Amino acid sequence: METNRNGILPKIGLMLLAVGPGLFMIGYNIGTGSITTMASAGSRYGMSLFWTLVLSCVFTYVMLIAYSRYTLVTGETSMMGYKLHLPYGKWIALYTIFVLTFGELASLAGITGIVAELINEWTRILFGGNGANIIAVTAVIIGGCFYLLWIGKYSRFEKFLTLLVVIMGTSFILSMFVVIPDPSDLVSGLLPRIPKEPNAFIIIAGMAGTTCSAMVFIMRSIVVSEKGWSVKNLRHEMLDSFVSVAMMLLLSGAVMACAAGTLYRMNIPVERAVDMVKTLEPLAGRFAISIFVVGVIGAGVSTLFPIALVLPWLICDYTGKERNIQSPMFRILAGFGLLLGFTVPVFGGRPVWIMIMSNAFQASILPIVTLAIIALLNNRKLMGEHKAGMWLNIGLWATFVFSVVTTYIGVLGFIESLSNILG
């Protein structure tokens, strides 16, 4: 008996089969940094910066399609493409690796600080006293990640952490409906403007950096290659990218809306990690901190592991070597990266602002990453009939303009932050 391929169930099945690397990108992108930055934006400015999130997601979609297309057509990952086919490509690739690694490792320090701070506050509320020692908590987290790195078995653990993130993400979405902003606020938030408030520049750059992230596009190229997709999967890739970006917009928007409906109304900007707990209180009440902490632990730890692997991963991408997580290079470089997680707990600092500033810093590499893929996709010798067409080129050049503007805003934000610190 012939299967009916026009029915709704087969269509749903094909859709699910099409969604692959995008799920990985959601888990990598929607982590502690995204939650922190969106909560901070919503708590300070309500929904007035919603336009930044929407534009970032639109341009993220363009860039995911672009980087995926290059790898699907040529079979080369991005760093190898830079190195082989761009003028001064070797230096562009090395500079990209340096900036991305620096930004990601700074992000790792912020993530570890946020998770440790939240666990300290959580245990203090549950058991009294001073709560769990932050350095001891950090040692357990870093030690656990290194153990998983050493044995090379992370997939099952990652599935469990993903479940924790899903619980928190669902909580944010449900909470959004409890404290849903006025529709006029959402419409107003789509009009590009910069609040005349302190830290607005650095927050905008941080939002752009954590959503339209150069690291996500580089990783996209690697993950598509690992998936074994080819030029035959171009349509699947477009659907996969769309699902990924749609989920990013929904989850990030939900976090911002929750913060706008709670902290913004109470005039409580996010300064410490524990401030973000209040975004879930309208729905979860006294259980809010438990739901939030469990979700952030999942988001944080599941993000720490790939961040620690960024440098060896990019080195393999650049050199064309096999990515072997149990090789000495992976263990040594990733182990060193994980040790940077002790930075905030040992030396102090404000992990929320470290996260935001590291995201803003990474926005500075986006113009180069955008120009590079424009050059590669318009190389007819490389791309043949799959060379970038008019609409993709319009999208890519619009992304470049956006990247230049957000980089400029980020520079202004850094100058403003430094003047506040020094002044």
Side-chain angles (χ1 to χ4, degrees):
M1 183 169 124
E2 187 176 340
T3 304
N4 178 15
R5 294 183 179 273
N6 295 320
I8 186 67
L9 291 179
K11 288 181 179 179
I12 292 174
L14 288 172
M15 183 180 293
L16 292 175
L17 285 173
V19 178
L23 296 179
F24 178 89
M25 290 293 101
I26 294 168
Y28 184 79
N29 188 276
I30 304 296
T32 309
S34 182
I35 292 167
T36 301
T37 306
M38 299 305 161
S40 186
S43 70
R44 284 175 164 79
Y45 316 117
M47 298 302 292
S48 64
L49 294 181
F50 188 52
W51 63 270
T52 307
L53 175 60
V54 173
L55 283 180
S56 296
C57 286
V58 169
F59 294 130
T60 295
Y61 178 62
V62 173
M63 292 291 281
L64 287 178
I65 288 176
Y67 270 86
S68 298
R69 175 178 290 201
Y70 178 77
T71 298
L72 292 177
V73 173
T74 66
E76 297 172 353
T77 51
S78 53
M79 290 298 100
M80 184 60 68
Y82 288 12
K83 178 182 174 182
L84 295 178
H85 307 297
L86 294 179
Y88 306 103
K90 175 182 176 181
W91 298 109
I92 293 173
L94 290 174
Y95 176 74
T96 302
I97 291 172
F98 170 78
V99 173
L100 291 179
T101 301
F102 182 84
E104 289 292 310
L105 292 180
S107 178
L108 184 148
I111 289 170
T112 312
I114 288 171
V115 173
E117 185 180 292
L118 279 171
I119 292 176
N120 170 263
E121 186 70 16
W122 188 30
T123 52
R124 186 186 64 79
I125 293 172
L126 290 178
F127 307 111
N130 296 323
N133 182 275
I134 289 180
I135 295 178
V137 168
T138 303
V140 171
I141 294 171
I142 298 302
C145 287
F146 188 76
Y147 172 74
L148 291 171
L149 171 71
W150 188 264
I151 64 175
K153 295 179 180 179
Y154 179 67
S155 57
R156 291 183 181 178
F157 184 64
E158 186 178 43
K159 290 176 183 177
F160 173 68
L161 294 176
T162 301
L163 175 63
L164 301 184
V165 178
V166 168
I167 292 172
M168 185 179 66
T170 304
S171 299
F172 272 120
I173 293 172
L174 293 176
S175 295
M176 178 182 67
F177 289 105
V178 176
V179 296
I180 190 164
D182 190 289
S184 62
D185 292 339
L186 287 176
V187 174
S188 175
L190 291 174
L191 300 175
R193 65 189 187 279
I194 299 176
K196 294 181 180 179
E197 301 286 344
N199 303 313
F201 288 123
I202 202 73
I203 294 288
I204 291 173
M207 290 174 66
T210 193
T211 305
C212 195
S213 167
M215 190 65 222
V216 168
F217 311 137
I218 302 299
M219 290 294 294
R220 173 75 175 187
S221 173
I222 295 173
V223 172
V224 166
S225 175
E226 289 286 321
K227 183 76 174 178
W229 281 6
S230 68
V231 69
K232 296 178 181 179
N233 299 104
L234 280 171
R235 281 193 173 186
H236 287 176
E237 179 276 321
M238 292 182 70
L239 174 60
D240 186 69
S241 296
F242 178 80
V243 171
S244 177
V245 170
M247 291 302 297
M248 288 178 193
L249 178 60
L250 174 63
L251 293 174
S252 296
V255 175
M256 184 186 293
C258 288
T262 53
L263 297 173
Y264 180 68
R265 291 177 181 175
M266 294 184 287
N267 196 27
I268 302 176
V270 170
E271 297 289 350
R272 300 183 305 142
V274 73
D275 294 335
M276 294 184 284
V277 171
K278 296 183 184 296
T279 57
L280 290 179
E281 283 185 351
L283 176 73
R286 63 193 181 93
F287 297 106
I289 188 169
S290 295
I291 293 173
F292 190 85
V293 170
V294 167
V296 167
I297 291 172
V301 176
S302 63
T303 306
L304 285 177
F305 199 82
I307 287 178
L309 295 174
V310 161
L311 180 56
W313 225 338
L314 290 176
I315 289 174
C316 289
D317 191 10
Y318 177 80
T319 58
K321 292 182 179 178
E322 180 185 1
R323 290 177 282 275
N324 179 7
I325 195 174
Q326 292 184 306
S327 68
M329 180 188 74
F330 267 77
R331 287 174 171 174
I332 291 171
L333 292 179
F336 173 76
L338 288 172
L339 287 176
L340 294 178
F342 284 101
T343 304
V344 174
V346 172
F347 299 104
R350 298 162 64 188
V352 167
W353 279 102
I354 289 174
M355 279 300 312
I356 293 171
M357 293 185 76
S358 68
N359 289 331
F361 173 77
Q362 291 194 74
S364 66
I365 192 65
L366 188 57
I368 293 175
V369 169
T370 306
L371 284 178
I373 199 64
I374 289 173
L376 291 173
L377 289 185
N378 283 281
N379 185 330
R380 186 172 292 278
K381 184 178 179 181
L382 276 174
M383 301 300 297
E385 62 179 308
H386 299 290
K387 175 180 173 289
M390 180 183 72
W391 288 111
L392 183 54
N393 272 315
I394 289 173
L396 286 169
W397 281 108
T399 304
F400 175 71
V401 173
F402 176 75
S403 70
V404 171
V405 171
T406 52
T407 298
Y408 174 70
I409 289 174
V411 170
L412 293 179
F414 274 112
I415 293 173
E416 180 184 57
S417 298
L418 286 174
S419 64
N420 289 337
I421 293 171
L422 299 175

